[in-house]
Amino acid sequence: CYNHTMIMKKMLLFILFLAFLVIPTSYTEASTPIKILLVPGHDNEIWGAQYGNTKEADMNLVLATRIYNLLLKDDRFKVWITRDATGYTKEFTDYFSTQYKDIISFEKNSKKEMQNKINNGSFIKKTEVKHNKASEDVAIRLYGINKWANENKMDAVIHIHFNDYPRKSTWTIGKYKGFAIYIPEEQMINSKESAKLAKNIFSQLRKKYTPSTYEKELGGLVPDQDLIAMGSNDTLIESVRSILIEYGYIYRFGNSKMRHQAYVNMANLTVKGITNYFFGK
C-alpha cells in the first residue's frame, strides 16, 4: 500500500512537471509589467490642427491623460506619458537636454544606414500618405522619444492625434470623417507586432466610430515609412511596437459636450484593445 501511494505521488508530480513544460508563458504570467509610453501629439508651441478655439494639442493631451489614468489602475502595466498640463514631463525635458547631441547623432546615423539599405536594394522606399515635414526641433524630440523607448525597452509607444487636411478655410467643416491607425510599413523591423496591436485597438474603436473616409486612409490601418513616430529609418528596435492613432477629424468635435464623451469612449476602447492584445480577450 505504501509503495502504491508513493508511485501515485510520483506519477502526479511527473504529470504536473509535463504540464508546466507544455503550457506557454503568457503576458499574464510575466513577472514584470508591460511598459507603455503615451505620446500626446504636438505641444503648447506647435499645437497641430485647430478648429475654432479648439487646438489639437489640447485634445491629444486630454485623451492621452485619460488613457494614462486607466492604464495606471492595472498593475499589469507600467505607463509613461511625454507631457502633462505643465508641458513635457521632467523625465523627457531632462532627456532632451542632456542627450541632445546623442539624439542628433542617432538621427544622422540612422538616416545614413537606411540610405545604404535603399541604395543596395534591401529596402524599397514607398510613400503612401504625404505628411507635413516636421521642423528640426520637433524631429529631434521625436527621434529622442524613439531613442528613449529603445533604451528603456518599451513594449509599446502609442502616439495620440486628431486629424485634419489642407483646404481653403480651416474654420469650416471638412468633408472627411473617421479614425485611422498608422502602423510601420511591413519592411520596418517593428512592423509585425505593431500591426497586431493596431488591429486589436482598431476592432474596439470601430464599435463606436467610423474608419476614415479619406481615400488614402481607407480601411483604417495605414502602413507608413516616413512618420518618425513609426520608427522611420528603423529608429525603433523590433520589440518596440509603435502606432499613431488619428482619432478623428478635429472639426467633427466642435461641441465641448461631444468632445468630452468622445474622450471617455475613445480612452475606454483604446485601453480595451491594448489589454486584449497583451493578455487576450
Side-chain angles (χ1 to χ4, degrees):
C1 184
Y2 175 80
N3 289 339
H4 181 265
T5 302
M6 289 299 296
I7 291 171
M8 291 297 292
K9 285 183 178 179
K10 289 179 179 179
M11 286 181 65
L12 180 59
L13 288 171
F14 182 69
I15 291 169
L16 290 172
F17 175 71
L18 288 178
F20 177 80
L21 288 179
V22 299
I23 296 174
T25 301
S26 66
Y27 281 104
T28 56
E29 297 165 335
S31 57
T32 57
I34 302 302
K35 296 194 282 189
I36 306 285
L37 172 63
L38 300 174
V39 185
H42 307 293
D43 54 35
N44 294 332
E45 295 178 6
I46 301 175
W47 54 78
Q50 183 171 352
Y51 177 68
N53 294 320
T54 304
K55 296 178 180 177
E56 184 199 348
D58 296 335
M59 294 179 67
N60 297 339
L61 180 57
V62 173
L63 178 53
T65 302
R66 185 170 286 274
I67 294 170
Y68 175 82
N69 289 333
L70 287 173
L71 290 171
L72 274 182
K73 294 177 182 178
D74 191 333
D75 291 340
R76 296 174 297 178
F77 293 106
K78 188 173 182 181
V79 58
W80 289 260
I81 193 167
T82 54
R83 63 185 180 93
D84 56 27
T86 63
Y88 287 97
T89 63
K90 186 177 186 305
E91 179 158 9
F92 284 93
T93 299
D94 291 348
Y95 189 82
F96 296 149
S97 176
T98 60
Q99 298 291 311
Y100 184 80
K101 290 183 179 179
D102 289 339
I103 293 169
I104 291 176
S105 296
F106 173 70
E107 176 186 357
K108 183 178 178 180
N109 293 335
S110 299
K111 287 180 176 178
K112 184 178 179 180
E113 289 176 15
M114 177 54 70
Q115 190 58 54
N116 290 336
K117 292 179 183 179
I118 293 170
N119 291 342
N120 65 31
S122 61
F123 191 95
I124 300 171
K125 188 68 177 170
K126 298 178 182 178
T127 300
E128 304 290 341
V129 179
K130 289 186 177 181
H131 306 285
N132 294 327
K133 186 176 181 181
S135 68
E136 184 178 352
D137 288 343
V138 172
I140 290 171
R141 280 196 290 270
L142 288 170
Y143 279 112
I145 288 169
N146 287 358
K147 184 173 180 289
W148 183 94
N150 291 340
E151 292 168 355
N152 289 276
K153 295 181 172 58
M154 290 295 106
D155 292 295
V157 181
I158 300 173
H159 294 256
I160 290 135
H161 285 258
F162 283 83
N163 218 339
D164 203 0
Y165 71 97
R167 56 192 187 280
K168 288 183 179 180
S169 174
T170 57
W171 296 84
T172 59
I173 295 177
K175 61 182 179 179
Y176 300 119
K177 62 181 179 179
F179 74 95
I181 304 181
Y182 281 77
I183 58 178
E185 194 266 337
E186 63 180 359
Q187 297 175 84
M188 297 166 71
I189 57 177
N190 64 330
S191 64
K192 185 176 179 180
E193 291 303 319
S194 296
K196 290 180 181 178
L197 171 61
K199 287 176 183 176
N200 275 273
I201 296 174
F202 177 87
S203 67
Q204 294 301 315
L205 289 174
R206 195 170 187 179
K207 291 178 179 179
K208 282 189 175 290
Y209 299 100
T210 303
S212 177
T213 58
Y214 176 47
E215 53 269 17
K216 292 191 176 181
E217 291 178 339
L218 293 179
L221 294 170
V222 190
D224 195 282
Q225 293 180 351
D226 297 326
L227 288 170
I228 302 171
M230 296 299 92
S232 63
N233 301 304
D234 274 346
T235 49
L236 285 172
I237 58 178
E238 185 176 359
S239 59
V240 179
R241 304 149 183 84
S242 186
I243 61 174
L244 185 150
I245 308 175
E246 297 277 10
Y247 280 90
Y249 284 83
I250 189 169
Y251 46 76
R252 301 284 178 180
F253 302 92
N255 181 285
S256 60
K257 187 176 180 180
M258 181 193 300
R259 279 201 306 277
H260 175 75
Q261 189 58 54
Y263 297 145
V264 173
N265 293 339
M266 290 170 174
N268 289 337
L269 294 169
T270 301
V271 170
K272 181 67 173 176
I274 294 169
T275 305
N276 284 351
Y277 168 74
F278 282 109
F279 301 107
K281 296 181 181 179

